[in-house]
Amino acid sequence: MQRHMETGRWSRRRSLRRRFGRTAATLSLLTAVACTSGQTPASVTGAGAGAGTADEVAVATWNMCGVRQWSCEKTGGPKEKLQQLRDLIGDSGVQVLLLQEVCSEDLLSFARSLGPQWHSAFEPYAEVDSAGRRTPVDCTGQGRGQAGYGLLAGSPLADVEAIPTEQPTVGLHRGILCARVPAQRLRVCNAHLSLRESDAQHPDWDFRDDQLSSLVAAASTDAATVFGGDFNSPPPEGDRNTSAWIWPSETYDTYRECDQKGDSRKGKATHKDGTKIDYLFTQLPRTACKVVDTKASDHRPLVMRVSRPENPATISTVG
């Protein structure tokens, strides 16, 4: 099995939007599954994510701010970011990471440096012009490859796939990448959502509701899925939140967010500006949640510990 995978697949769906703010369509793929962690475990409220037990696995999401030309010049280089990965693995026992704004060659180097058991998967960002031409985004700095998002795990990845979803007509395409982690009996999906007003041709269109719906639909095919990433959106909390409409109800009802406590969707800040825009969701029982301080990015890593499914058969996808 390859230690590093690239899907090489692009979503070619054009946006069919006709107005800003339309309600997300009902998910025909979404299965009705009861939430297995409807109540917040006592260990989650204010808990850290230490070494854990043999029946648990820790998953992290982190926007590494590794694309230097995207205002990341002062967040450290690959050496500092690798050290943060080592800290997450050593201090929090993280075995699976959802990474955004990472360079392809850096990701390969991180996996090699962490050891032969570490595997990665990568999907590049692309700039799309008015003629539909796609241009990968190169990372500045010699030999760092392309900018994108990926997965890093301390065991082999399987069934890696890019999930098609709506993207800006003209502008930067991000996306969703899913894979199974058989050794952990998990499936994970990493999403990096579009910024609001990111379509140069239609600045009044918002794609985040469709992208979240695609992400939830992908997660619904496997009850042992952990999904999250950089959603470029605050949680659906507060009367002044004008983007609360983008969130499918399933995210906080069928699933539970790492930092979700009871009915509150607020969560601790994950960005240096004091907002929460990074998330981890699952149906599996949560046993710990932690936001980790770092100087190696403008985002703080979010770490969630969950109980592993007892039956490996639960990782099979629904046809």
Side-chain angles (χ1 to χ4, degrees):
M1 176 176 290
Q2 295 179 357
R3 291 188 58 226
H4 182 74
M5 305 178 186
E6 297 189 24
T7 65
R9 295 162 52 192
W10 295 101
S11 169
R12 299 182 182 277
R13 296 171 61 194
R14 289 296 187 91
S15 173
L16 301 179
R17 292 183 174 278
R18 293 296 180 267
R19 66 184 185 278
F20 169 76
R22 69 177 174 87
T23 304
T26 302
L27 291 173
S28 61
L29 292 176
L30 186 64
T31 56
V33 184
C35 179
T36 60
S37 56
Q39 300 297 321
T40 302
S43 59
V44 171
T45 55
T53 70
D55 296 327
E56 299 173 327
V57 58
V59 180
T61 181
W62 184 30
N63 183 319
M64 302 186 77
C65 202
V67 186
R68 294 182 64 82
Q69 67 266 35
W70 290 353
S71 302
C72 294
E73 298 89 348
K74 297 181 180 180
T75 63
K79 181 178 179 181
E80 289 76 19
K81 298 177 193 301
L82 174 60
Q83 184 57 54
Q84 181 62 66
L85 292 175
R86 291 188 185 279
D87 290 345
L88 288 170
I89 295 164
D91 296 342
S92 300
V94 172
Q95 282 293 306
V96 186
L97 296 112
L98 285 54
L99 303 174
Q100 307 87 41
E101 294 188 23
V102 61
C103 300
S104 58
E105 294 303 311
D106 288 349
L107 183 57
L108 274 171
S109 177
F110 295 153
R112 285 193 296 264
S113 297
L114 292 171
Q117 73 274 28
W118 284 86
H119 296 249
S120 63
F122 179 82
E123 185 74 3
Y125 301 126
E127 287 284 355
V128 178
D129 64 19
S130 58
R133 290 185 293 263
R134 307 179 63 89
T135 305
V137 178
D138 291 330
C139 286
T140 56
Q142 187 175 3
R144 299 186 65 207
Q146 297 175 344
Y149 52 102
L151 302 169
L152 184 62
S155 58
L157 297 165
D159 299 336
V160 179
E161 59 176 335
I163 305 299
T165 189
E166 299 285 355
Q167 293 290 339
T169 308
V170 178
L172 182 67
H173 283 206
R174 296 174 174 88
I176 303 169
L177 185 65
C178 296
R180 287 195 303 113
V181 192
Q184 304 296 345
R185 303 197 291 271
L186 291 181
R187 180 168 176 261
V188 293
C189 291
N190 178 20
H192 195 180
L193 304 190
S194 296
L195 288 163
R196 186 178 177 180
E197 300 179 353
S198 60
D199 191 327
Q201 195 168 79
H202 304 282
D204 58 335
W205 289 359
D206 198 325
F207 298 86
R208 294 172 297 171
D209 61 326
D210 285 324
Q211 292 168 357
L212 282 171
S213 293
S214 297
L215 178 60
V216 171
S220 73
T221 64
D222 191 327
T225 298
V226 173
F227 65 95
D230 178 358
F231 290 178
N232 278 315
S233 312
E237 182 94 354
D239 297 335
R240 297 184 180 181
N241 184 353
T242 59
S243 63
W245 63 272
I246 71 173
W247 289 88
S249 61
E250 295 83 5
T251 49
Y252 285 90
D253 295 336
T254 301
Y255 304 92
R256 306 289 283 181
E257 206 273 326
C258 173
D259 214 8
Q260 184 175 349
K261 300 175 179 65
D263 293 332
S264 174
R265 277 94 166 108
K266 185 177 180 181
K268 300 181 185 67
T270 61
H271 193 268
K272 68 175 184 180
D273 65 5
T275 61
K276 176 178 175 62
I277 58 175
D278 303 275
Y279 301 83
L280 287 170
F281 289 89
T282 191
Q283 293 182 75
L284 299 170
R286 301 163 298 150
T287 59
C289 182
K290 182 180 181 182
V291 177
V292 179
D293 287 331
T294 179
K295 296 181 180 179
S297 174
D298 56 352
H299 290 246
R300 301 182 182 97
L302 179 66
V303 180
M304 179 171 67
R305 187 174 299 284
V306 299
S307 298
R308 285 189 184 89
E310 293 183 4
N311 182 6
T314 61
I315 64 174
S316 299
T317 57
V318 177

